[in-house]
Amino acid sequence: AFASSTALAYRYFRKGIVVDLSPQNLLNCHVRNCEAGGFLLDSQFYLVNDGTTTESCIPYKASDGRTINSCPTKCSGNEEFKKYYSKNAYATTFDFDDLESYYDTVTVIMDQLVNFGPVVSGISCYKDLQDLGYKSTCKNTIYKYDGTSKFLSGHAVVIVGYGYQDSKYYWLIQNSWGESFCDGVLAKIEFTEINMENVGFSDP
């Protein structure tokens, strides 16, 4: 919910429309479970079919993960209740054992980032990724799974760019864990790590 609404807002910005979209709207109306956060492609399709309103209209409210408010039909303040939609939704698919299909997928992601805006990645989240936010060297670190840290859950992040450093290609991601995470919500993750190339994206 967080990653999908954020990526769509960035893509609206690329079209000249500045808007902060509400993940809470998706949580209330679609996901219905804060602990899960929603599946990546389901959230993309929800934005196509139902859209979401603005953060100022339906602001995020932290909860126990089980108490979900009903689907809103008006804003919490006096703002007009207005929806923002995706036109289409897409997802990548590839076989890690087929290098050609993998390289095709990487090319698609890079093309999307350069020409259309950020994409959403559904990742496997391990404890060492969570710990990355507490390292003073995080800004200069390219994350690679250590191979032993405990698996926590599926997670979603926004890929906002890519680069090359220390003979490694990396994706630049924006996370939803607050500004204390790594470089003010940003982190670098090495190509092929934690299923980073499984992505979804949409047209505003």
Side-chain angles (χ1 to χ4, degrees):
F2 281 86
S4 296
S5 57
T6 298
L8 182 60
Y10 277 132
R11 288 186 167 224
Y12 266 104
F13 182 77
R14 289 287 291 266
K15 297 287 186 180
I17 299 171
V18 180
V19 63
D20 186 10
L21 296 178
S22 171
Q24 189 68 49
N25 196 133
L26 271 75
L27 290 171
N28 288 355
C29 302
H30 167 56
V31 177
R32 306 296 298 158
N33 184 343
C34 286
E35 291 178 325
F39 293 105
L40 188 152
L41 199 54
D42 287 347
S43 293
Q44 297 290 318
F45 283 135
Y46 180 83
L47 290 170
V48 171
N49 296 321
D50 297 277
T52 187
T53 188
T54 62
E55 173 69 15
S56 56
C57 175
I58 308 296
Y60 172 65
K61 294 182 179 179
S63 71
D64 58 12
R66 292 174 293 277
T67 306
I68 309 294
N69 294 327
S70 59
C71 185
T73 56
K74 62 180 181 179
C75 296
S76 57
N78 297 322
E79 182 181 341
E80 177 189 2
F81 188 80
K82 181 180 179 180
K83 289 285 194 77
Y84 292 81
Y85 293 83
S86 297
K87 183 178 181 181
N88 300 294
Y90 310 91
T92 58
T93 180
F94 65 92
D95 181 354
F96 268 117
D97 294 325
D98 180 354
L99 279 180
E100 185 175 351
S101 72
Y102 172 73
Y103 291 141
D104 286 345
T105 298
V106 168
T107 302
V108 167
I109 297 172
M110 288 177 166
D111 176 70
Q112 286 293 316
L113 291 171
V114 171
N115 294 303
F116 303 101
V119 302
V120 182
S121 173
I123 65 171
S124 299
C125 183
Y126 295 89
K127 182 68 166 56
D128 62 336
L129 178 65
Q130 188 179 63
D131 292 342
L132 196 66
Y134 303 103
K135 295 181 179 178
S136 60
T137 59
C138 180
K139 185 174 182 178
N140 299 315
T141 298
I142 298 176
Y143 169 83
K144 181 179 178 68
Y145 174 51
D146 63 17
T148 60
S149 291
K150 180 183 177 182
F151 174 77
L152 299 179
S153 67
H155 186 50
V157 297
V158 182
I159 303 179
V160 296
Y162 58 89
Y164 185 72
Q165 174 187 316
D166 301 330
S167 301
K168 298 175 183 177
Y169 287 98
Y170 66 84
W171 300 112
L172 183 65
I173 64 108
Q174 176 179 328
N175 203 354
S176 58
W177 293 343
E179 292 189 7
S180 62
F181 176 75
C182 201
D183 185 18
V185 310
L186 298 176
K188 299 171 182 176
I189 298 181
E190 188 173 344
F191 277 24
T192 75
E193 289 297 305
I194 58 175
N195 298 316
M196 278 297 301
E197 291 78 9
N198 289 319
V199 307
F201 49 89
S202 57
D203 301 322

Coordinates of all heavy atoms in Angstrom, one line a residue, residues 65-125:
G65 N -2.5 -3.0 13.8 CA -2.5 -3.9 12.7 C -3.7 -4.7 12.5 O -3.8 -5.4 11.5
R66 N -4.7 -4.6 13.4 CA -5.9 -5.4 13.3 C -7.2 -4.5 13.2 O -8.2 -4.9 12.7 CB -6.0 -6.4 14.4 CG -5.0 -7.5 14.3 CD -5.0 -8.4 15.6 NE -4.5 -7.7 16.8 CZ -3.2 -7.5 17.1 NH1 -2.3 -8.0 16.3 NH2 -2.9 -6.9 18.2
T67 N -7.1 -3.3 13.8 CA -8.2 -2.4 13.9 C -8.2 -1.5 12.7 O -7.4 -0.6 12.6 CB -8.2 -1.6 15.2 OG1 -8.1 -2.4 16.3 CG2 -9.5 -0.7 15.3
I68 N -9.0 -1.8 11.7 CA -9.1 -1.1 10.5 C -10.4 -0.3 10.3 O -11.5 -0.8 10.5 CB -8.9 -2.0 9.2 CG1 -7.8 -3.0 9.4 CG2 -8.8 -1.2 8.0 CD1 -6.4 -2.3 9.4
N69 N -10.2 1.0 10.1 CA -11.4 1.8 9.9 C -12.2 1.4 8.6 O -11.6 0.8 7.7 CB -11.1 3.3 9.9 CG -10.5 3.8 11.2 OD1 -10.9 3.3 12.2 ND2 -9.6 4.7 11.1
S70 N -13.4 1.8 8.5 CA -14.2 1.5 7.3 C -13.7 2.3 6.2 O -13.0 3.3 6.3 CB -15.7 1.8 7.6 OG -15.8 3.2 7.9
C71 N -14.0 1.9 5.0 CA -13.6 2.6 3.8 C -14.2 4.0 3.7 O -15.4 4.1 3.7 CB -14.0 1.8 2.5 SG -13.4 2.4 1.0
P72 N -13.4 5.0 3.6 CA -13.9 6.4 3.7 C -14.6 6.8 2.4 O -14.2 6.4 1.3 CB -12.6 7.2 4.0 CG -11.5 6.4 3.3 CD -11.9 5.0 3.5
T73 N -15.5 7.7 2.5 CA -16.2 8.3 1.4 C -16.1 9.8 1.4 O -16.6 10.5 0.5 CB -17.7 7.9 1.3 OG1 -18.3 8.2 2.5 CG2 -17.8 6.4 1.1
K74 N -15.5 10.3 2.4 CA -15.2 11.8 2.5 C -13.9 12.0 3.3 O -13.4 11.1 4.0 CB -16.4 12.5 3.2 CG -16.6 12.1 4.6 CD -17.8 12.8 5.2 CE -18.1 12.4 6.6 NZ -19.2 13.2 7.2
C75 N -13.4 13.2 3.1 CA -12.1 13.5 3.8 C -12.3 13.8 5.2 O -13.4 14.1 5.7 CB -11.5 14.8 3.1 SG -11.0 14.5 1.4
S76 N -11.2 13.6 6.0 CA -11.3 13.8 7.4 C -11.4 15.3 7.7 O -11.8 15.7 8.8 CB -10.0 13.3 8.1 OG -8.8 13.9 7.5
G77 N -11.0 16.2 6.8 CA -11.2 17.6 6.9 C -12.2 18.2 5.9 O -13.2 17.5 5.6
N78 N -12.0 19.4 5.5 CA -13.0 20.0 4.5 C -12.5 19.9 3.1 O -13.2 20.4 2.2 CB -13.1 21.5 4.9 CG -13.7 21.7 6.2 OD1 -14.6 21.0 6.7 ND2 -13.2 22.7 7.0
E79 N -11.5 19.2 2.8 CA -10.9 19.0 1.5 C -11.9 18.2 0.6 O -12.7 17.3 1.1 CB -9.6 18.2 1.6 CG -8.9 18.0 0.2 CD -7.6 17.2 0.4 OE1 -7.1 17.2 1.6 OE2 -7.1 16.7 -0.6
E80 N -11.9 18.5 -0.7 CA -12.8 17.7 -1.6 C -12.3 16.3 -1.7 O -11.1 16.0 -1.8 CB -12.7 18.4 -3.0 CG -13.5 17.6 -4.1 CD -13.2 18.1 -5.5 OE1 -12.4 19.0 -5.6 OE2 -13.8 17.6 -6.4
F81 N -13.2 15.3 -1.7 CA -12.8 13.9 -1.8 C -12.6 13.6 -3.3 O -13.6 13.4 -4.0 CB -13.9 13.0 -1.2 CG -13.6 11.6 -1.1 CD1 -12.8 11.1 0.0 CD2 -14.0 10.7 -2.0 CE1 -12.4 9.8 0.1 CE2 -13.7 9.3 -1.9 CZ -12.9 8.9 -0.9
K82 N -11.3 13.5 -3.6 CA -11.0 13.3 -5.0 C -10.0 12.1 -5.2 O -9.1 12.0 -4.4 CB -10.3 14.6 -5.6 CG -9.9 14.5 -7.0 CD -9.2 15.9 -7.4 CE -8.8 15.8 -8.9 NZ -8.2 17.1 -9.3
K83 N -10.3 11.3 -6.2 CA -9.5 10.1 -6.4 C -8.5 10.3 -7.5 O -8.7 11.0 -8.5 CB -10.4 8.9 -6.7 CG -11.3 8.4 -5.6 CD -10.4 7.5 -4.6 CE -11.3 6.7 -3.7 NZ -11.8 5.5 -4.3
Y84 N -7.3 9.6 -7.3 CA -6.3 9.6 -8.3 C -6.1 8.1 -8.7 O -5.9 7.2 -7.9 CB -5.0 10.2 -7.8 CG -5.1 11.6 -7.6 CD1 -5.7 12.1 -6.4 CD2 -4.6 12.5 -8.5 CE1 -5.7 13.5 -6.2 CE2 -4.7 13.9 -8.3 CZ -5.3 14.4 -7.1 OH -5.3 15.7 -6.9
Y85 N -6.1 7.8 -10.0 CA -6.1 6.5 -10.5 C -4.8 6.2 -11.3 O -4.1 7.0 -11.8 CB -7.3 6.2 -11.5 CG -8.6 6.3 -10.8 CD1 -9.2 7.5 -10.5 CD2 -9.2 5.1 -10.4 CE1 -10.5 7.6 -9.9 CE2 -10.5 5.2 -9.8 CZ -11.1 6.4 -9.5 OH -12.3 6.4 -8.9
S86 N -4.6 4.9 -11.5 CA -3.6 4.4 -12.5 C -4.4 4.0 -13.7 O -5.5 3.5 -13.6 CB -2.9 3.1 -12.0 OG -2.1 3.4 -10.9
K87 N -3.8 4.2 -14.9 CA -4.4 3.9 -16.1 C -4.2 2.4 -16.4 O -5.2 1.7 -16.9 CB -3.8 4.7 -17.3 CG -4.4 4.4 -18.6 CD -3.8 5.3 -19.7 CE -4.4 5.1 -21.0 NZ -3.8 6.0 -22.1
N88 N -3.0 1.8 -16.2 CA -2.7 0.4 -16.4 C -1.8 0.0 -15.3 O -1.1 0.8 -14.7 CB -2.1 0.2 -17.8 CG -2.9 0.7 -18.9 OD1 -4.0 0.1 -19.2 ND2 -2.5 1.7 -19.6
A89 N -1.7 -1.3 -15.1 CA -0.7 -1.9 -14.2 C 0.0 -3.0 -14.8 O -0.5 -3.8 -15.6 CB -1.5 -2.4 -12.9
Y90 N 1.3 -3.1 -14.5 CA 2.2 -4.1 -15.1 C 3.0 -4.8 -14.1 O 3.3 -4.3 -13.0 CB 3.1 -3.5 -16.2 CG 2.4 -2.6 -17.1 CD1 2.3 -1.2 -16.9 CD2 1.9 -3.1 -18.3 CE1 1.6 -0.4 -17.8 CE2 1.3 -2.2 -19.3 CZ 1.1 -0.9 -19.0 OH 0.5 -0.1 -19.9
A91 N 3.6 -6.0 -14.4 CA 4.5 -6.6 -13.5 C 5.6 -7.3 -14.4 O 5.3 -7.7 -15.5 CB 3.9 -7.7 -12.7
T92 N 6.8 -7.4 -13.9 CA 7.9 -8.1 -14.6 C 7.9 -9.6 -14.2 O 7.4 -10.0 -13.1 CB 9.2 -7.6 -14.2 OG1 9.4 -7.7 -12.8 CG2 9.4 -6.1 -14.7
T93 N 8.4 -10.4 -15.1 CA 8.5 -11.8 -14.7 C 9.8 -12.4 -15.5 O 10.0 -11.9 -16.6 CB 7.3 -12.7 -15.1 OG1 7.5 -14.0 -14.8 CG2 7.0 -12.6 -16.6
F94 N 10.5 -13.2 -14.8 CA 11.7 -13.7 -15.4 C 12.2 -15.0 -14.7 O 11.7 -15.3 -13.6 CB 12.9 -12.7 -15.4 CG 13.3 -12.3 -14.1 CD1 14.4 -12.9 -13.5 CD2 12.7 -11.3 -13.4 CE1 14.8 -12.6 -12.2 CE2 13.1 -10.9 -12.1 CZ 14.1 -11.6 -11.5
D95 N 13.2 -15.6 -15.2 CA 13.8 -16.8 -14.6 C 15.2 -16.5 -14.3 O 16.0 -16.2 -15.3 CB 13.6 -18.0 -15.6 CG 14.2 -19.3 -15.1 OD1 14.8 -19.3 -14.0 OD2 14.1 -20.3 -15.7
F96 N 15.6 -16.6 -13.1 CA 17.0 -16.3 -12.7 C 18.0 -17.2 -13.4 O 19.1 -16.9 -13.6 CB 17.2 -16.4 -11.2 CG 17.0 -15.2 -10.4 CD1 16.0 -15.0 -9.5 CD2 17.9 -14.1 -10.7 CE1 15.8 -13.8 -8.8 CE2 17.7 -12.9 -10.0 CZ 16.7 -12.8 -9.0
D97 N 17.5 -18.4 -13.8 CA 18.4 -19.3 -14.5 C 18.5 -19.0 -16.0 O 19.3 -19.6 -16.7 CB 17.9 -20.8 -14.4 CG 18.0 -21.2 -12.9 OD1 18.9 -20.8 -12.2 OD2 17.1 -22.0 -12.5
D98 N 17.7 -18.1 -16.5 CA 17.8 -17.6 -17.9 C 18.3 -16.2 -17.9 O 17.5 -15.2 -17.7 CB 16.4 -17.7 -18.5 CG 16.3 -17.3 -19.9 OD1 17.4 -16.8 -20.5 OD2 15.3 -17.4 -20.6
L99 N 19.6 -16.0 -18.1 CA 20.2 -14.7 -18.0 C 19.6 -13.7 -19.0 O 19.5 -12.6 -18.7 CB 21.7 -14.8 -18.3 CG 22.6 -15.3 -17.1 CD1 24.0 -15.3 -17.4 CD2 22.4 -14.3 -15.9
E100 N 19.2 -14.2 -20.2 CA 18.7 -13.3 -21.2 C 17.4 -12.7 -20.7 O 17.1 -11.5 -20.8 CB 18.4 -14.1 -22.5 CG 17.9 -13.1 -23.6 CD 17.8 -13.9 -25.0 OE1 18.3 -15.0 -25.1 OE2 17.3 -13.2 -25.9
S101 N 16.5 -13.5 -20.1 CA 15.2 -13.0 -19.6 C 15.5 -12.0 -18.4 O 14.8 -11.0 -18.2 CB 14.3 -14.1 -19.1 OG 14.7 -14.7 -18.0
Y102 N 16.5 -12.3 -17.6 CA 16.8 -11.4 -16.5 C 17.3 -10.1 -17.0 O 16.9 -9.1 -16.5 CB 17.9 -12.1 -15.6 CG 18.4 -11.1 -14.5 CD1 17.6 -10.8 -13.4 CD2 19.7 -10.5 -14.6 CE1 18.1 -9.9 -12.5 CE2 20.1 -9.6 -13.7 CZ 19.3 -9.3 -12.6 OH 19.8 -8.4 -11.7
Y103 N 18.2 -10.1 -17.9 CA 18.8 -8.9 -18.5 C 17.6 -8.1 -19.2 O 17.6 -6.8 -19.1 CB 19.9 -9.1 -19.5 CG 21.1 -9.7 -18.9 CD1 21.9 -10.6 -19.5 CD2 21.6 -9.2 -17.6 CE1 23.1 -11.1 -18.9 CE2 22.7 -9.6 -17.0 CZ 23.5 -10.6 -17.7 OH 24.6 -11.1 -17.1
D104 N 16.7 -8.7 -19.8 CA 15.5 -8.1 -20.4 C 14.8 -7.3 -19.3 O 14.3 -6.2 -19.5 CB 14.6 -9.0 -21.1 CG 15.2 -9.5 -22.5 OD1 16.2 -8.9 -22.9 OD2 14.7 -10.5 -23.0
T105 N 14.6 -8.0 -18.2 CA 13.8 -7.4 -17.1 C 14.5 -6.2 -16.5 O 13.9 -5.1 -16.3 CB 13.6 -8.4 -16.0 OG1 12.8 -9.5 -16.5 CG2 12.9 -7.8 -14.8
V106 N 15.9 -6.3 -16.3 CA 16.6 -5.2 -15.8 C 16.5 -4.0 -16.8 O 16.4 -2.8 -16.4 CB 18.1 -5.6 -15.6 CG1 19.0 -4.4 -15.4 CG2 18.3 -6.5 -14.5
T107 N 16.6 -4.3 -18.1 CA 16.4 -3.2 -19.1 C 15.1 -2.5 -19.0 O 15.0 -1.3 -19.1 CB 16.6 -3.8 -20.5 OG1 17.9 -4.4 -20.6 CG2 16.5 -2.7 -21.6
V108 N 14.0 -3.3 -18.8 CA 12.7 -2.7 -18.6 C 12.6 -1.8 -17.4 O 12.1 -0.7 -17.5 CB 11.6 -3.9 -18.5 CG1 10.3 -3.3 -18.0 CG2 11.4 -4.6 -19.8
I109 N 13.2 -2.3 -16.3 CA 13.2 -1.5 -15.1 C 13.9 -0.2 -15.3 O 13.5 0.9 -14.9 CB 13.8 -2.3 -13.9 CG1 12.9 -3.5 -13.6 CG2 13.8 -1.4 -12.6 CD1 13.5 -4.4 -12.6
M110 N 15.1 -0.3 -15.9 CA 15.9 1.0 -16.1 C 15.2 1.9 -17.0 O 15.1 3.1 -16.8 CB 17.2 0.6 -16.7 CG 18.2 -0.1 -15.8 SD 19.7 -0.6 -16.7 CE 20.8 -0.9 -15.3
D111 N 14.5 1.4 -18.1 CA 13.8 2.2 -19.0 C 12.6 2.9 -18.3 O 12.4 4.1 -18.5 CB 13.2 1.4 -20.2 CG 12.4 2.2 -21.1 OD1 12.9 3.0 -21.8 OD2 11.1 1.9 -21.1
Q112 N 11.9 2.2 -17.4 CA 10.8 2.8 -16.7 C 11.3 3.9 -15.8 O 10.7 5.0 -15.7 CB 10.1 1.7 -15.8 CG 9.3 0.8 -16.6 CD 8.0 1.4 -17.2 OE1 7.4 2.2 -16.6 NE2 7.8 1.1 -18.5
L113 N 12.4 3.7 -15.1 CA 13.0 4.7 -14.2 C 13.4 6.0 -14.9 O 13.1 7.1 -14.4 CB 14.2 4.1 -13.4 CG 13.9 3.0 -12.4 CD1 15.2 2.4 -11.9 CD2 13.1 3.5 -11.2
V114 N 14.0 5.8 -16.0 CA 14.5 7.0 -16.8 C 13.4 7.7 -17.4 O 13.3 9.0 -17.4 CB 15.5 6.5 -17.8 CG1 15.9 7.7 -18.7 CG2 16.8 6.0 -17.1
N115 N 12.4 7.0 -18.0 CA 11.4 7.7 -18.9 C 10.1 7.9 -18.2 O 9.3 8.8 -18.7 CB 11.2 6.8 -20.2 CG 12.5 6.9 -21.0 OD1 13.0 7.9 -21.4 ND2 13.0 5.7 -21.3
F116 N 9.7 7.1 -17.2 CA 8.4 7.2 -16.7 C 8.3 7.4 -15.1 O 7.4 8.0 -14.6 CB 7.6 6.0 -17.0 CG 7.5 5.7 -18.5 CD1 8.3 4.8 -19.1 CD2 6.7 6.5 -19.3 CE1 8.3 4.6 -20.5 CE2 6.6 6.3 -20.7 CZ 7.4 5.3 -21.3
G117 N 9.3 7.0 -14.4 CA 9.3 7.2 -13.0 C 9.5 5.9 -12.2 O 9.7 4.8 -12.8
P118 N 9.5 6.0 -10.9 CA 9.8 4.8 -10.0 C 8.9 3.6 -10.2 O 7.8 3.8 -10.7 CB 9.6 5.4 -8.6 CG 10.0 6.9 -8.8 CD 9.4 7.2 -10.1
V119 N 9.4 2.5 -9.8 CA 8.6 1.2 -9.8 C 8.6 0.6 -8.4 O 9.4 1.0 -7.5 CB 9.2 0.2 -10.8 CG1 9.3 0.8 -12.2 CG2 10.6 -0.2 -10.4
V120 N 7.7 -0.3 -8.2 CA 7.6 -0.9 -6.9 C 8.2 -2.3 -6.9 O 7.9 -3.1 -7.8 CB 6.1 -1.0 -6.4 CG1 6.0 -1.7 -5.1 CG2 5.4 0.3 -6.5
S121 N 9.0 -2.6 -5.9 CA 9.7 -4.0 -5.9 C 9.1 -4.7 -4.7 O 9.1 -4.2 -3.6 CB 11.2 -3.8 -5.7 OG 11.8 -5.1 -5.5
G122 N 8.7 -6.0 -4.9 CA 8.3 -6.9 -3.9 C 9.5 -7.7 -3.5 O 10.0 -8.5 -4.2
I123 N 10.1 -7.5 -2.3 CA 11.3 -8.1 -1.8 C 11.1 -9.1 -0.7 O 10.1 -9.1 -0.1 CB 12.3 -7.0 -1.4 CG1 11.8 -6.3 -0.1 CG2 12.6 -6.0 -2.5 CD1 12.8 -5.4 0.6
S124 N 12.1 -9.9 -0.5 CA 12.2 -10.8 0.6 C 13.0 -10.0 1.7 O 14.2 -9.6 1.5 CB 12.9 -12.1 0.3 OG 12.2 -12.8 -0.7
C125 N 12.4 -9.8 2.8 CA 13.0 -8.9 3.8 C 13.7 -9.7 4.9 O 13.0 -10.6 5.6 CB 12.0 -8.0 4.4 SG 12.6 -6.8 5.6

